[in-house]
Amino acid sequence: MAKLMLALDVLDENKALKIIEEVNDYIDAVKIGYPLVLACGLDVIKKIKDICDKEVIADFKVADIPSTNEKIAKITLKYADGIIVHGFVGEDSVKAVKDVAKNLNKKVIMVTEMSHPGALKFIQPIAEELAEMAKKLEVDAIVVPSTRPQRLKRLKNIANLPIITPGVGAQGGKIEDILNELGEDDYVIVGRAIYQAEDPKNAAKKFKEQIKNI
Ligand code: O7E
């Protein structure tokens, strides 16, 4: 069975922690990003882990020169179990993060193609090369769009790595369209369709049940 990762892009710590409590039984991991960390600080990761004891991935889409990437990774991975990086900045920049993560036994996840319409112009044309690079660098997983199931399949086949896939729910992606491609090491990311739902617990439960039907 694939796993469910909650994208917790809320701006209020109390709300974030309340949602975690509510959905805890149905999620396998939590993705936090700039919205929550800029609003509350990196300490929120510890607070989330105290409640749910699940993997917390920092989605900072790190995209800088190697020495700066290294500094960002060192601070982030003191708290988080993994960090998301951009690949388009080049092998050396990704490798800098990978080296930090390896020492700390943490994960590096690399973006190949993004899920939004704007990704078609600049990132889709290089996404297959990025997937090849991810394979070569042996990152832990790649990010692929569930808004484009054929692209998800193609990039997964090239990289031959676990996938983390956003776009289900608010962005129009459907779990049933990607189910055939998902394996037990893969994660489906869902954000607004859970945390903005009237009943987040029930929404998370439904996504989890859909994923179980593989
Ligand atoms: O659309 P939602 O609310 O379900 O949230 C999706 C989350 O995935 C949100 O945090 C967004 O920043 C992230 N995301 C995408 O939506 N598309 C991408 O291409 C990449 C990401 C992302 O998280 O990248 C790292 C996994």
Side-chain angles (χ1 to χ4, degrees):
M1 183 182 29
K3 301 182 184 109
L4 181 59
M5 182 180 289
L6 173 68
L8 194 54
D9 296 322
V10 296
L11 300 174
D12 178 85
E13 185 174 297
N14 289 335
K15 187 171 179 192
L17 299 180
K18 184 167 176 276
I19 289 167
I20 292 291
E21 268 173 21
E22 284 175 20
V23 304
N24 193 7
D25 288 346
Y26 303 108
I27 60 167
D28 303 288
V30 181
K31 182 178 83 69
I32 55 104
Y34 291 117
L36 186 60
V37 165
L38 292 177
C40 314
L42 271 170
D43 265 348
V44 74
I45 297 179
K46 281 187 186 153
K47 294 178 187 169
I48 292 170
K49 287 180 83 71
D50 282 348
I51 294 175
C52 73
D53 196 25
K54 304 241 157 89
E55 203 177 30
V56 178
I57 302 296
D59 176 11
F60 294 158
K61 297 190 183 71
V62 185
D64 215 314
I65 60 169
S67 73
T68 308
N69 269 9
E70 181 187 347
K71 288 174 192 153
I72 296 169
K74 275 186 178 160
I75 297 172
T76 306
L77 293 175
K78 270 191 207 164
Y79 297 81
D81 301 296
I83 185 166
I84 293 172
V85 297
H86 263 305
F88 68 79
V89 272
E91 269 188 43
D92 49 357
S93 293
V94 176
K95 197 170 170 299
V97 177
K98 184 131 196 276
D99 290 344
V100 175
K102 199 174 170 197
N103 275 336
L104 298 169
N105 205 16
K106 305 264 172 125
K107 285 186 179 176
V108 177
I109 299 159
M110 203 193 94
V111 179
T112 60
E113 181 169 322
M114 295 186 71
S115 58
H116 61 309
L120 296 178
K121 182 160 182 184
F122 296 119
I123 201 161
Q124 188 182 78
I126 60 163
E128 294 182 17
E129 279 177 90
L130 291 174
E132 276 162 21
M133 187 176 112
K135 182 179 188 178
K136 180 179 164 199
L137 292 177
E138 297 177 335
V139 296
D140 296 282
I142 56 168
V143 179
V144 293
S146 39
T147 46
R148 293 181 213 104
Q150 290 306 319
R151 296 291 298 158
L152 177 154
K153 186 174 177 181
R154 173 90 184 120
L155 295 164
K156 186 176 180 181
N157 282 342
I158 293 171
N160 198 20
L161 291 168
I163 59 167
I164 303 232
T165 182
V168 163
Q171 295 180 53
K174 294 195 171 37
I175 288 194
E176 57 265 33
D177 294 342
I178 58 168
L179 267 188
N180 283 342
E181 310 309 326
L182 298 176
E184 60 181 17
D185 295 329
D186 300 327
Y187 291 78
V188 177
I189 299 174
V190 183
R192 286 164 287 176
I194 293 177
Y195 67 75
Q196 285 182 350
E198 230 168 80
D199 181 350
K201 181 176 181 173
N202 196 38
K205 182 170 182 255
K206 281 190 179 153
F207 281 113
K208 185 72 177 173
E209 281 166 0
Q210 271 185 292
I211 291 173
K212 265 192 203 161
N213 287 335
I214 294 179

